[in-house]
Amino acid sequence: MTERFILIVVTRNAPGVLSRVSSLLRRKLFNIDSLTVGRTTNNKESRFTIVIDGDEAQANKAALLIDRLIEIRSVKVLKPDQCLRREIVLARVEITSPEQEALLESSHAEIISQLIFKEGDLITLELIDTSQKLDEFLEKLNQADIKIVDWVRSGVIAMQNLE
Amino acid sequence: MTGAQALLKALENHGVTEMFAYPGGAVLPIYDAMADSPIRRILVRHEQASAFAAQGYSRSTQEVGVCLATSGPGATNLVTGIADAMLDSIPLVAITGNVFKQLIGSDAFQEIDIVGICEPIVKHSYFIESADDIPRVLAEAFHLAKSGRPGPVLIDIPKCEQIAEVSAETMKKLNNKENFELQLPGYKLPPALDVTQIEKAVELITEAKKPIVIYGHGVVLSNAEAHLKEFLEKSGIANVWTLHGMGAYDNTETLSLGMLGMHGTGAANFAVHHADLVLGIGIRFDDRITGKLSEFKLNKKFIHFDIDSSEFNKNVPAVVSLHGQIHDTLPTLTKALPEGLEKQWSDWNQQLTSKKKAWPLDESKAGKLTEITVINQLYKIMGEEDIVLVDVGQHQMWAAQRFFPKKSRKFLTSGGLGTMGFSLPTAMGAVFSGHPVWSISGDGGFQMNSQELATIAQDNLPVKIIILNNSFLGMVRQWQELFYDKNYVDTPLKNPDFVKLGEAYGIPSFRAETQEESKALLDKMQHFEGPILVEFKLEKEENVFPMVPAGESLGNTMLSKTQQIDAA
């Protein structure tokens, strides 16, 4: 498995910043695993969480290049174990047997946060955990032949651990 | 006061006296307001030329050149000139008009997303949302273009905001020449120098046995020429330079070994190949100077001076990185350096100077008129203040090997992007430095912007135009000869009569076909007032040496078709 690094980027909340950051990463051929962006408590700022596939040198290179953009306030490079990482998956699944339903129920123990609501014959899951945990869980659904009708994942958000 | 008037007033307040521009539908309000502005317009014949002329202004004067074009094709025509400025870190403010805001995104006539197109090739860009923002954005643009690592800034102004009225307060501030507060919270200039890096640098230098200095454009952009001289004199370290470093130090000194790289001198390439310590001062270690990177990095340590921290460890690992303006970092290092170090590398220096003697550059061929003849003849008669602009290709390299200007900003060329057609339009901007300007192009590059003869004639811009005509795209032909078995596909050119062409524009034009005619005409050009054009009919198939074949190591520098420098 390749290494992953997490960039926490605080920018001005200005038009075009997302495009400047993402097009920079594209043209320098970085591999982006995930990119999320939202406002911070300060409505003049936005905060990006960017997950990069690559070694530490590449992550540092990406950070320096991003920091060079005029509207960037700060860039931090973190290893996965240096931060709290979460991703949300919404998955709408079709259940055809009690065993399958039991599997969904039993997953409570595995996933940090899980909501289940029924919509007719379908069950919608809202799952929150690390990307890896979510991958593993989705693989389990797959192996149990649970049909996934629709699904979406949010991309990773991260926050540095306290020392 | 309209947005258009505010723009012109703000430009005036920033000290802009000339602007290189071309009119069109989406900038008509600005043109309409120009009657009341003292700014002189130079009407180019293609927008690309306006960007290059503005660059010529920046490159020769240290001020920020300004160009202006209309929306759509006017804007896209600027792209090459903006990209060229980005690659060479040249300050430039490019202004474009765009369609009314209500039409943006509707694929309106002559609408183009120029901010989007230029994103990778500008230091920063703006789309004006409100006329009232224009003076502040302009202040930010000039600050960004000039400060830190310089570069181009684009301002795209929709036509509605050119027409819209600015607030009374903005108008008052403009009329009183008050400053507009910059809103650049994320823009970082280099922090104070890290002293531990200086200590580490001194340690590396005192341990070195075979040190070499490579200096580049950063020295010029940081106005650190005097500091470089002090450092080189105190340390006694031999030096080589990049294409854009030329003139930052006295290149005729014994320990000045020549330009480095693909067409660098044998001694310069030898020195860097064998060095155990490289001090890269204001350079970015690009592929044209390193050759094969994996071999370039072998057995040596690097001390890297740069203002842009993203340059560190980009191509070579820096043991020491000195982040900041070279006029701050270099003198600090010089001061910290012990005296008498040069004894430590006197054998190495002696080896280098003997290589310099052993591998001189090619001489001009007896009785034949070649690029080298003309370049040598020109170099002999040029004054200290004369500016020479070369285009891209063989003549660029022959000239770069043979020009030793005493000052920086006297040899201007497109280094990073390597844009053919650079010389003529950029020369139009360089004449505003007030110094004599020579524009040299090959027969290929000249025709990429020959329409600018009309601009030169109309504004009577005193450019001394040299066309080195070897009837080929010479550099490509050279590669075809050496690496593609002389398969000359699309490199032979059937050219117009350049003398008649010049005359058609009303520019006095002449032709030289012998060494004697060449000398006489160069003398004539030197003393000529106003624009003059001379075509030099040259031998056709000359090659530039030394040469490092693409992808090979500096140790494999070919001095000629049959001789290599000793790689051992």
Side-chain angles (χ1 to χ4, degrees):
Chain A
M1 207 178 99
T2 55
E3 277 185 276
R4 286 206 175 133
F5 281 84
I6 289 144
L7 270 55
I8 295 178
V9 182
V10 178
T11 76
R12 275 184 83 188
N13 181 10
V17 176
L18 171 61
S19 153
R20 286 184 211 271
V21 171
S22 57
S23 100
L24 168 73
L25 294 169
R26 176 199 58 77
R27 67 177 178 267
K28 302 286 183 182
L29 302 182
F30 289 104
N31 279 326
I32 304 303
D33 196 62
S34 144
L35 186 155
T36 60
V37 58
R39 256 180 286 168
T40 68
T41 49
N42 175 349
N43 66 7
K44 288 184 177 159
E45 286 180 355
S46 301
R47 175 166 164 148
F48 289 61
T49 305
I50 305 170
V51 182
I52 286 197
D53 271 345
D55 59 22
E56 189 163 11
Q58 284 171 303
N60 286 331
K61 196 179 262 189
L64 285 171
L65 287 166
I66 292 172
D67 202 25
R68 204 168 76 148
L69 295 173
I70 307 300
E71 287 154 326
I72 304 302
R73 298 240 172 148
S74 66
V75 185
K76 222 176 253 174
V77 180
L78 299 171
K79 289 181 183 155
D81 59 9
Q82 290 176 306
C83 48
L84 179 66
R85 290 158 294 131
R86 287 295 178 264
E87 188 171 10
I88 306 175
V89 165
L90 299 179
R92 188 166 284 150
V93 299
E94 209 177 279
I95 300 293
T96 51
S97 72
E99 290 79 16
Q100 289 179 336
E101 194 157 359
L103 177 77
L104 289 187
E105 296 294 335
S106 72
S107 62
H108 270 298
E110 293 173 37
I111 298 292
I112 292 172
S113 167
Q114 179 187 356
L115 285 174
I116 300 182
F117 31 100
K118 291 199 173 175
E119 295 174 295
D121 295 338
L122 298 175
I123 292 180
T124 299
L125 306 170
E126 180 185 318
L127 312 167
I128 302 176
D129 210 312
T130 63
S131 308
Q132 198 190 339
K133 273 287 186 63
L134 294 170
D135 285 344
E136 287 166 11
F137 184 70
L138 288 166
E139 181 53 32
K140 258 188 197 171
L141 297 187
N142 206 18
Q143 279 173 8
D145 281 331
I146 295 176
K147 193 178 168 200
I148 299 172
V149 181
D150 192 12
W151 78 298
V152 59
R153 46 200 303 173
S154 64
V156 177
I157 55 170
M159 185 181 266
Q160 188 173 10
N161 293 334
L162 289 174
E163 293 300 321
Chain B
M1 180 185 266
T2 65
Q5 289 168 326
L7 172 74
L8 290 171
K9 187 71 190 164
L11 285 167
E12 186 190 330
N13 289 355
H14 280 283
V16 174
T17 48
E18 284 86 17
M19 186 156 88
F20 305 89
Y22 200 89
V27 288
L28 273 173
I30 300 171
Y31 270 82
D32 193 47
M34 276 177 182
D36 304 321
S37 171
I39 297 172
R40 176 180 171 187
R41 296 175 315 283
I42 289 87
L43 171 65
V44 295
R45 293 304 190 274
H46 185 293
E47 290 88 349
Q48 183 190 110
S50 73
F52 279 115
Q55 269 205 46
Y57 194 90
S58 308
R59 287 179 189 249
S60 60
T61 67
Q62 304 198 44
E63 297 300 320
V64 181
V66 178
C67 58
L68 178 130
T70 191
S71 64
T76 56
N77 279 345
L78 291 178
V79 168
T80 303
I82 295 174
D84 191 278
M86 185 67 174
L87 270 282
D88 281 350
S89 303
I90 302 299
L92 173 74
V93 170
I95 301 166
T96 49
N98 212 328
V99 298
F100 278 73
K101 271 203 300 194
Q102 305 93 287
L103 290 174
I104 295 265
S106 73
D107 300 331
F109 178 66
Q110 293 192 332
E111 182 206 346
I112 203 79
D113 171 21
I114 194 64
V115 168
I117 288 174
C118 289
E119 200 174 78
I121 54 163
V122 291
K123 184 169 173 185
H124 198 46
S125 52
Y126 293 91
F127 177 80
I128 297 291
E129 297 276 354
S130 157
D132 227 38
D133 293 339
I134 290 173
R136 172 187 53 84
V137 165
L138 207 70
E140 290 178 6
F142 275 89
H143 177 65
L144 289 171
K146 249 175 137 167
S147 61
R149 181 177 184 167
V153 180
L154 171 74
I155 306 174
D156 192 28
I157 313 177
K159 199 172 176 182
C160 50
E161 300 314 308
Q162 298 169 26
I163 296 164
E165 291 286 321
V166 300
S167 69
E169 194 199 336
T170 299
M171 184 169 87
K172 200 176 128 204
K173 278 174 90 171
L174 276 172
N175 286 334
N176 293 340
K177 298 194 175 186
E178 287 177 46
N179 289 331
F180 286 78
E181 201 187 328
L182 309 183
Q183 291 175 14
L184 296 168
Y187 184 52
K188 302 159 208 80
L189 290 170
L193 182 60
D194 179 356
V195 189
T196 61
Q197 293 290 301
I198 292 284
E199 288 161 7
K200 265 167 83 181
V202 172
E203 207 180 296
L204 282 185
I205 294 170
T206 47
E207 281 168 4
K209 296 202 167 54
K210 298 188 287 180
I212 190 83
V213 163
I214 311 172
Y215 63 85
H217 203 193
V219 175
V220 178
L221 293 172
S222 181
N223 293 317
E225 293 90 341
H227 301 301
L228 177 65
K229 184 174 193 290
E230 276 170 28
F231 177 79
L232 290 172
E233 286 175 358
K234 181 168 178 184
S235 67
I237 299 176
N239 61 89
V240 304
W241 54 91
T242 70
L243 183 60
H244 279 322
M246 202 177 304
Y249 180 64
D250 183 354
N251 318 41
T252 55
E253 284 281 331
T254 323
L255 289 175
S256 294
L257 305 175
M259 183 175 73
L260 172 70
M262 184 171 265
H263 293 289
T265 63
N269 288 0
F270 176 92
V272 174
H273 185 68
H274 292 278
D276 62 359
L277 177 69
V278 168
L279 293 98
I281 308 180
I283 71 166
R284 55 188 176 87
F285 293 101
D286 89 304
D287 59 288
R288 280 309 191 256
I289 69 149
T290 64
K292 190 176 183 183
L293 194 58
S294 54
E295 288 200 32
F296 182 84
K297 291 192 285 195
L298 279 184
N299 306 322
K300 52 173 75 74
K301 291 176 177 162
F302 295 94
I303 299 176
H304 195 176
F305 298 69
D306 210 290
I307 193 159
D308 179 353
S309 57
S310 72
E311 288 297 342
F312 299 130
N313 306 309
K314 184 178 87 175
N315 295 333
V316 301
V319 180
V320 173
S321 39
L322 294 162
H323 185 203
Q325 286 280 4
I326 290 157
H327 64 233
D328 292 327
T329 53
L330 191 56
T332 315
L333 178 61
T334 308
K335 230 179 176 178
L337 216 59
E339 299 279 352
L341 279 174
E342 69 274 11
K343 275 175 254 137
Q344 217 170 292
W345 37 78
S346 59
D347 287 355
W348 162 245
N349 280 353
Q350 208 156 22
Q351 190 187 3
L352 297 180
T353 47
S354 74
K355 294 295 180 196
K356 185 177 165 183
K357 272 196 209 111
W359 299 326
L361 290 166
D362 290 347
E363 288 295 329
S364 156
K365 286 185 181 162
K368 308 256 180 171
L369 189 59
T370 67
E371 287 87 346
I372 293 177
T373 328
V374 181
I375 284 162
N376 285 344
Q377 287 176 344
L378 172 61
Y379 178 59
K380 247 182 228 156
I381 61 167
M382 264 175 54
E384 225 174 77
E385 292 297 343
D386 288 22
I387 296 172
V388 62
L389 295 102
V390 294
D391 217 71
V392 169
Q394 284 186 313
H395 76 274
Q396 177 191 32
M397 292 296 109
W398 273 311
Q401 293 168 337
R402 287 166 181 78
F403 274 85
F404 303 98
K406 293 236 177 331
K407 293 180 177 176
S408 52
R409 298 180 184 275
K410 296 299 183 192
F411 184 89
L412 308 182
T413 190
S414 169
L417 195 64
T419 313
M420 285 174 69
F422 168 94
S423 174
L424 191 66
T426 313
M428 302 190 313
V431 299
F432 292 94
S433 66
H435 302 306
V437 170
W438 301 80
S439 161
I440 308 181
S441 306
D443 44 318
F446 179 76
Q447 291 179 85
M448 285 208 178
N449 268 319
S450 62
Q451 79 285 344
E452 294 310 313
L453 291 175
T455 310
I456 288 167
Q458 180 166 342
D459 275 68
N460 196 34
L461 301 174
V463 182
K464 304 174 196 298
I465 303 162
I466 292 176
I467 303 171
L468 297 177
N469 179 4
N470 61 6
S471 311
F472 270 104
L473 296 175
M475 188 59 95
V476 182
R477 186 209 55 75
Q478 177 170 341
W479 283 52
Q480 287 173 333
E481 176 185 335
L482 298 177
F483 312 116
Y484 293 88
D485 206 17
K486 281 203 176 188
N487 189 14
Y488 290 168
V489 176
D490 284 355
T491 42
L493 298 182
K494 183 177 185 328
N495 287 317
D497 181 326
F498 289 113
V499 173
K500 278 189 184 159
L501 184 70
E503 282 169 349
Y505 285 102
I507 295 171
S509 302
F510 309 89
R511 180 177 293 117
E513 300 193 51
T514 65
Q515 293 197 354
E516 294 69 34
E517 287 171 6
S518 167
K519 189 175 178 310
L521 278 168
L522 287 169
D523 285 338
K524 183 186 179 84
M525 291 177 92
Q526 190 190 15
H527 300 109
F528 201 83
E529 306 253 334
I532 177 170
L533 180 153
V534 177
E535 176 198 3
F536 298 78
K537 281 283 237 186
L538 307 173
E539 293 294 305
K540 291 185 175 178
E541 296 184 41
E542 298 296 307
N543 288 329
V544 185
F545 287 105
M547 177 177 195
V548 181
E552 290 197 29
S553 147
L554 293 181
N556 297 343
T557 302
M558 299 159 69
L559 295 167
S560 68
K561 264 193 196 179
T562 51
Q563 192 197 356
Q564 268 196 2
I565 65 169
D566 30 350

